[in-house]
Amino acid sequence: DIAQCLLTGLITDTLNFSTSNVSSTTLKAAASLVDAGANLFEISSKGYKLQQLSTLMLWQVGLKNMKIEEGLIWTTISNVEREVAGHTGSSSFGLGNFMADVYQAVMSAVLVELDDGDISVGFRCRPPYDVAEIAMSLGGGGHRLAAGCTVDGSLDEAERLVISKSKVSIRKQRSQLQ
């Protein structure tokens, strides 16, 4: 049971061993946990393959609403759209990661309107970019590659704010990379 829990954490924190910080040490630790009885197939299936139908319905809405400009790819999902999809909660269950893997983008943002009117925002990016600064400037947190926040106001207002801050951040980070 302990090996199963530890391997679950390792798999989910490395996005199924696909992040830039995965090393031979990571893979050796995973192998030791499998040797101790952890079920790699079960963890990977539950964590990254099997989805609720409502998650796919939410992604359908998100992909339909998707926009891309200046290296930023984003989408908005209204409370009504979320409810029609049968989706509860604020998570988009990987939509931001999926969108951040588009060649033309370096960063993604998924804005989801919640029942209480707040807007949940999830940011994702690929190295060497950093989304933590944007989320923190909006009262949230996270780390370089994945961060989030909650924004007050309408979905349109939140979208304008998030897009503006994200584009400024991308321009700033691009200039520092050159």
Side-chain angles (χ1 to χ4, degrees):
D1 289 344
I2 293 171
Q4 188 80 354
C5 291
L6 291 172
L7 187 59
T8 298
L10 194 57
I11 288 172
T12 56
D13 283 353
T14 63
L15 300 177
N16 217 15
F17 303 110
S18 67
T19 58
S20 62
N21 62 342
V22 172
S23 66
S24 62
T25 303
T26 310
L27 297 173
K28 287 174 190 169
S32 294
L33 293 169
V34 169
D35 288 343
N39 186 326
L40 178 63
F41 175 77
E42 179 184 337
I43 296 167
S44 291
S45 293
K46 287 181 179 177
Y48 289 96
K49 293 179 184 176
L50 297 174
Q51 298 288 336
Q52 293 291 330
L53 179 59
S54 63
T55 299
L56 294 181
M57 300 299 288
L58 187 78
W59 279 36
Q60 180 181 33
V61 170
L63 293 172
K64 177 182 69 82
N65 295 344
M66 182 179 62
K67 299 171 188 151
I68 185 166
E69 294 175 7
E70 301 177 37
L72 175 68
I73 190 166
W74 78 93
T75 192
T76 59
I77 301 170
S78 72
N79 191 43
V80 170
E81 290 171 319
R82 186 179 56 76
E83 287 178 347
V84 167
H87 190 75
T88 59
S90 62
S91 176
S92 62
F93 293 102
L95 179 58
N97 288 328
F98 182 73
M99 290 170 46
D101 286 339
V102 170
Y103 280 115
Q104 295 84 353
V106 298
M107 191 178 291
S108 74
V110 176
L111 292 84
V112 179
E113 185 178 25
L114 305 176
D115 288 332
D116 63 5
D118 285 342
I119 311 302
S120 172
V121 183
F123 296 99
R124 299 294 184 270
C125 67
R126 295 187 313 275
Y129 289 87
D130 183 339
V131 292
E133 183 179 305
I134 303 166
M136 286 191 291
S137 77
L138 294 168
H143 57 83
R144 291 181 53 84
L145 303 180
C149 61
T150 302
V151 178
D152 294 330
S154 72
L155 186 56
D156 288 339
E157 292 168 339
E159 180 181 19
R160 282 191 295 276
L161 177 65
V162 166
I163 300 326
S164 173
K165 285 187 172 285
S166 297
K167 286 180 178 180
V168 167
S169 179
I170 290 170
R171 285 192 294 271
K172 177 181 166 190
Q173 291 181 60
R174 279 187 174 150
S175 71
Q176 293 171 346
L177 294 171
Q178 297 172 347

